[in-house]
Amino acid sequence: MNDMQDSFAAHRAAELLGTAMRDTEAPVMQMAGALTRISHALGRAAAASDANPCGCAHLKRDIAICIESLQFHDRLIQQLTAVRRLMGSNPSDAEQASGFMPPEGSVELF
């Protein structure tokens, strides 16, 4: 390959990375929001039934697994962003360079 072909390939690869990263943003943000709402609802239900536990330990663990998976996704996006930068392509201003986790902060694991 010559320099022009190498440059084109790197540019195209960076575009594909960007597209793939953007395509994951909306569904991941929706899932993160839903898990946060479920977590808060379980916390309220547990507090309201101190004498009678809600019996939701398995559900809490499943939610924790989902949250851990979102955190993995966030780390992956950060790594892919670094790859894009090494290839000479920076994220646009509309993209969150640090990943796609909710801007209000991290989600606590029970």
Side-chain angles (χ1 to χ4, degrees), residues 9 17 35 40 63 87 103 106-108:
L17 281 172
L35 288 170
H40 291 278
I63 291 171
M87 295 171 71
S106 64
V107 178
E108 287 187 27

Side-chain angles (χ1 to χ4, degrees), residues 26-100:
V28 167
M29 291 300 291
Q30 289 172 351
M31 184 169 60
L35 288 170
T36 299
R37 291 187 299 276
I38 292 167
S39 175
H40 291 278
L42 284 173
R44 287 190 304 271
S49 62
D50 285 334
N52 184 15
C54 68
C56 299
H58 66 284
L59 184 57
K60 287 183 179 183
R61 181 64 197 140
D62 286 343
I63 291 171
I65 289 169
C66 292
I67 292 169
E68 290 168 1
S69 296
L70 287 172
Q71 291 167 338
F72 169 79
H73 176 269
D74 187 54
R75 287 189 304 274
L76 178 63
I77 292 297
Q78 290 175 24
Q79 292 169 350
L80 290 174
T81 299
V83 169
R84 284 180 66 192
R85 285 189 179 130
L86 289 171
M87 295 171 71
S89 174
N90 289 319
S92 69
D93 291 338
E95 294 174 326
Q96 298 179 24
S98 64
F100 303 123

